[in-house]
Amino acid sequence: MFSIKNSIESSFRERGSKFLGFLFPAETEDAFSDQLDTLKSKYPDATHHCYGWRMNPAQPKEFSTDDGEPSGTAGLPILNQLKSFEVINAGIVVVRYYGGTKLGKSGLIEAYGLAARQCLEAASLISIKPVRLYEIQYPYPVENNIQQLINSFGLKVMESEYLEHITLKVACSIESAARFEKELAGMEHLNITFKKLEEHFIAG
């Protein structure tokens, strides 16, 4: 699976109709709705604002709408492009200005799919990998030991807190998690404690 880094736009004309495609990151439905509202405000006179989105790598959730186009001719082709490119935590809105010539169902499917595909082809895709999260607490004098672990296991530090002790929340790749836990367990004599947290997904 992949996520996207930046928003991408596309546009083309098909038999008088103008299609504007907008691909953008969206990890929540509220974040998507905000982007959709912005586009509706920017293009209030458009004939249709059709879209599809996919979210949550752990349990993928997806949705699409035709916004008045014939059923299955707009939202689904957009969503299918997101699925084809294996992109998640993103949404695509395709804005259409009707040009006076009907495209027919197959023409609409092709046009909405093309608007979405053009955006995805231009996007920088970032792979998403499954990780296990851990909370590690340790005294200041052993920070070098922890830094060595971070480097050797390629850990990503998600959160850090420097109080009486140092507390880090780190992400470890699923395939290295068992080895990492074994290493940590062997460092308890240095007053290093850890908690195993939930599985997660990160871009990297």
Side-chain angles (χ1 to χ4, degrees):
M1 282 187 288
F2 301 91
S3 66
I4 57 164
K5 205 169 188 177
N6 303 313
S7 299
I8 300 287
E9 298 180 13
S10 70
S11 68
F12 66 92
R13 289 185 181 274
E14 181 67 28
R15 281 186 275 172
S17 283
K18 188 175 183 181
F19 291 86
L20 307 173
F22 301 90
L23 166 69
F24 47 86
E27 293 192 8
T28 65
E29 291 180 48
D30 285 345
F32 178 86
S33 295
D34 288 346
Q35 292 280 0
L36 178 63
D37 289 344
T38 298
L39 290 169
K40 284 184 173 179
S41 298
K42 193 174 179 181
Y43 303 98
D45 54 339
T47 322
H48 304 280
H49 301 82
C50 306
Y51 61 83
W53 54 253
R54 300 183 77 217
M55 296 169 194
N56 188 6
Q59 291 182 303
K61 187 178 178 183
E62 53 195 40
F63 183 78
S64 66
T65 181
D66 299 308
D67 190 34
E69 294 282 32
S71 179
T73 62
L76 199 55
I78 294 168
L79 177 60
N80 283 341
Q81 289 298 323
L82 283 168
K83 289 166 78 170
S84 176
F85 280 78
E86 295 182 70
V87 168
I88 202 148
N89 285 348
I92 298 178
V93 177
V94 179
V95 175
R96 180 191 181 190
Y97 285 89
Y98 180 56
T101 303
K102 290 189 176 180
L103 302 182
K105 283 194 173 184
S106 61
L108 288 171
I109 290 168
E110 194 171 319
Y112 280 103
L114 177 60
R117 189 168 72 249
Q118 284 181 343
C119 287
L120 288 159
E121 285 173 346
S124 296
L125 302 184
I126 309 158
S127 64
I128 296 178
K129 60 182 182 181
V131 293
R132 167 72 68 184
L133 298 181
Y134 295 88
E135 184 181 280
I136 310 170
Q137 192 175 80
Y138 56 94
Y140 284 82
V142 300
E143 186 155 25
N144 282 343
N145 302 72
I146 298 299
Q147 285 303 321
Q148 285 172 5
L149 274 182
I150 288 171
N151 293 335
S152 67
F153 282 94
L155 306 180
K156 182 170 182 179
V157 178
M158 311 291 283
E159 295 173 18
S160 57
E161 188 177 67
Y162 292 81
L163 298 172
E164 186 181 346
H165 290 83
I166 300 172
T167 304
L168 296 183
K169 190 175 182 180
V170 300
C172 178
S173 65
I174 291 293
E175 59 267 25
S176 302
R179 270 193 316 119
F180 176 58
E181 284 179 38
K182 194 175 176 181
E183 287 269 347
L184 276 176
M187 299 172 83
E188 285 182 350
H189 65 287
L190 297 174
N191 290 323
I192 296 170
T193 60
F194 73 94
K195 277 194 289 191
K196 185 176 176 178
L197 305 176
E198 72 275 11
E199 282 192 24
H200 194 61
F201 285 81
I202 60 169

